[in-house]
Amino acid sequence: MAQYYPGTTNVAQNRRNFCNPDYDLKKMREVSDEDVVKILGHRAPGEEYPSVHPPIEEMDEPDDPIRDLVEPLDGAKAGDRVRYIQFTDSMYNAPAHPFVRARAYLCRFRGADAGTLSGRQIIETRERDLEKYAKELIETEFFDPAVTGIRGKTVHGHSLRLDEDGMMFDMLRRQVLDKDSGMVESVKNQIGEELDEPVVLGEPMSEADLKEKTTIYRKDGEAYRDDKDAVEVLHRIHVTRSQGGFSPE
Amino acid sequence: MDIEIFPHRLLGADTTERLLNDLEDIESIKRMVIHGARLPSANEEHPDRRTITVRDEEIDLQVKTGRILLEIDSEEAIEDVKEVCENILNFGFNVHIGTFIRYQKTVTDGIKYGDQLDQIPEEMVGLTDQNAQLNKRATILKKKD
């Protein structure tokens, strides 16, 4: 059995769940394919995927044994563009965070490139595959409308205190809490262009639920040092890496 | 002495307005500084970017309130400040004691204001952003007689 992450705490278990492709992610909300396309902002809904011309089958490509070994993604087969979606995760108990996303993406999504930064995480793949992955990432427990942001640019906010209503700070105000309905709406696409119709992303999780679902060790939640198992593995890795570096013979 | 109120959430315009008005009733507070990230320009229509009224004086709120710095006369005022904060900041806050507001004119001030440096009143020093025009970021509230 694959070993994804050590630790006995809830946080460790949540990390294992994200990384394990056999774990069925809980679906938290319903977002239509069209809405996902609108949030991504790479093409207009209903528009054809811009692909290479002439089509790949008509191209005279050099022989390559890898092509026989590896089945291409749908998007690669069609010659789609490589596009991206980027998430910002608040350090205030967001369900996912960049490093866990990187590990999870590489375990779960074939043919996707994950780029990890301190507060944000980008995933790049062929456009039609990206839409599929983006839908999964937005609809499942990877996402919370208040403390996770879909931000292609102006990503600042993950380490700031939350707003009074529990929303993560966003200078472009892409996700807005509708105080009457209690629902979060996406009023702009990921790069901050106004949408014609807001996309409803659902209700934010309560603080208690976020603490339950988070993959972030925090001193005021589950502290890393208290997770003896995880710390022991970390120490073992540290020691073996150091010894390996000295090349003991 | 100075104290800093550090709310556990970033404050909106309404809460900032209520908090400042309630703090204004505490006699021993001499100066207040609202500190935080800049809000976008007025034509972006950010809901927090509006004019707030503190003791009948209109203030154009240009920042998302993250900290409030207060200069107080005596240590007894801290308890009053905490009481006001407990009523309004129900998500939690910290009050720190220290030196947060600048009290002396600096070389930068000298370069910025030149010969007019002497005309800047002492109580205005430290109230504004170094890079800002003084008249744009400070509001003088008239104290009760």
Side-chain angles (χ1 to χ4, degrees):
Chain A
M1 198 191 106
Q3 294 181 330
Y4 294 103
Y5 196 83
T8 48
T9 51
N10 210 10
V11 171
Q13 185 55 47
N14 292 340
R15 289 183 176 200
R16 282 195 286 274
N17 291 347
F18 278 166
C19 293
N20 182 1
D22 298 328
Y23 172 82
D24 282 328
L25 292 166
K26 201 169 140 202
K27 197 167 172 178
M28 314 284 282
R29 60 194 65 80
E30 195 85 47
V31 181
S32 70
D33 293 353
E34 197 181 304
D35 287 343
V36 173
V37 173
K38 279 204 264 179
I39 291 173
L40 289 173
H42 297 310
R43 67 183 180 103
E47 187 192 333
E48 288 266 312
Y49 291 101
S51 305
V52 284
H53 189 76
I56 285 189
E57 303 89 64
E58 292 173 24
M59 279 190 197
D60 196 16
E61 288 188 279
D63 276 342
D64 187 348
I66 301 297
R67 212 171 286 135
D68 302 325
L69 293 172
V70 181
E71 167 78 11
L73 296 171
D74 293 344
K77 240 185 260 174
D80 282 356
R81 307 177 294 181
V82 172
R83 302 283 100 172
Y84 70 92
I85 184 167
Q86 184 166 247
F87 291 94
T88 305
D89 300 291
S90 170
M91 51 172 253
Y92 286 95
N93 293 323
H97 71 267
F99 269 87
V100 127
R101 279 187 189 273
R103 291 172 186 153
Y105 290 176
L106 296 174
C107 295
R108 281 177 181 271
F109 304 133
R110 204 175 145 246
D113 183 14
T116 314
L117 298 106
S118 58
R120 58 193 162 114
Q121 165 73 32
I122 194 166
I123 178 167
E124 294 176 15
T125 186
R126 303 287 180 158
E127 194 163 3
R128 69 191 70 196
D129 301 293
L130 175 79
E131 285 168 13
K132 213 162 53 192
Y133 300 158
K135 189 173 158 78
E136 187 176 338
L137 289 171
I138 296 171
E139 282 187 338
T140 56
E141 43 193 307
F142 266 102
F143 188 82
D144 174 73
V147 290
T148 311
I150 308 166
R151 303 182 183 182
K153 67 166 191 185
T154 322
V155 291
H156 179 64
H158 86 282
S159 62
L160 298 191
R161 279 165 282 168
L162 301 175
D163 278 355
E164 278 179 73
D165 52 13
M167 298 288 292
M168 177 169 52
F169 177 84
D170 180 6
M171 203 181 97
L172 298 184
R173 290 177 48 78
R174 281 162 276 218
Q175 282 153 239
V176 184
L177 179 72
D178 183 341
K179 286 206 171 88
D180 300 326
S181 64
M183 296 284 184
V184 175
E185 291 175 346
S186 195
V187 292
K188 293 180 183 174
N189 69 13
Q190 63 170 342
I191 57 161
E193 291 165 345
E194 205 93 31
L195 297 176
D196 301 337
E197 287 279 311
V199 174
V200 179
L201 294 172
E203 215 175 337
M205 272 193 254
S206 69
E207 262 181 73
D209 286 349
L210 280 175
K211 274 197 171 168
E212 185 80 12
K213 282 275 165 216
T214 189
T215 50
I216 302 174
Y217 286 107
R218 276 180 68 96
K219 207 176 173 200
D220 58 4
E222 287 181 314
Y224 185 66
R225 280 168 194 275
D226 295 341
D227 198 336
K228 297 273 181 302
D229 196 20
V231 173
E232 191 193 322
V233 172
L234 179 85
H235 282 171
R236 199 184 305 148
I237 291 169
H238 176 73
V239 167
T240 44
R241 271 181 62 141
S242 304
Q243 287 176 342
F246 285 118
S247 180
E249 276 157 51
Chain B
M1 67 186 293
D2 295 348
I3 55 170
E4 175 198 60
I5 304 170
F6 184 88
H8 292 173
R9 294 268 170 104
L10 299 174
L11 306 186
D14 296 345
T15 315
T16 307
E17 192 171 26
R18 269 197 299 144
L19 186 66
L20 293 186
N21 273 308
D22 286 6
L23 287 174
E24 253 309 297
D25 294 334
I26 301 173
E27 199 57 38
S28 131
I29 295 175
K30 286 162 70 184
R31 307 197 286 174
M32 293 199 272
V33 176
I34 317 167
H35 182 274
R38 297 266 297 148
L39 289 167
S41 62
N43 47 19
E44 298 259 333
E45 293 180 4
H46 192 286
D48 287 333
R49 175 79 199 231
R50 66 176 181 84
T51 307
I52 57 171
T53 312
V54 182
R55 195 186 286 278
D56 301 330
E57 201 68 49
E58 292 198 337
I59 301 169
D60 182 23
L61 190 64
Q62 296 180 17
V63 295
K64 183 99 184 149
T65 312
R67 297 157 199 254
I68 294 160
L69 313 178
L70 307 172
E71 184 189 340
I72 52 173
D73 273 341
S74 63
E75 220 164 293
E76 285 85 68
I78 297 174
E79 283 313 308
D80 300 336
V81 170
K82 279 186 181 167
E83 205 182 304
V84 167
C85 292
E86 268 158 26
N87 289 335
I88 296 173
L89 309 176
N90 47 20
F91 34 76
F93 64 92
N94 297 108
V95 172
H96 303 128
I97 302 167
T99 305
F100 300 103
I101 307 174
R102 186 159 58 84
Y103 290 93
Q104 284 176 332
K105 292 174 184 170
T106 59
V107 175
T108 311
D109 286 336
I111 297 165
K112 200 166 163 188
Y113 302 110
D115 294 339
Q116 294 172 321
L117 184 65
D118 293 338
Q119 293 170 26
I120 307 255
E122 292 292 329
E123 62 267 23
M124 295 292 271
V125 174
L127 280 192
T128 62
D129 182 354
Q130 283 285 340
N131 301 319
Q133 294 260 315
L134 201 58
N135 60 353
K136 289 216 172 120
R137 308 277 170 84
T139 304
I140 299 167
L141 304 176
K142 290 174 197 81
K143 273 273 176 202
K144 276 185 286 197
D145 295 327

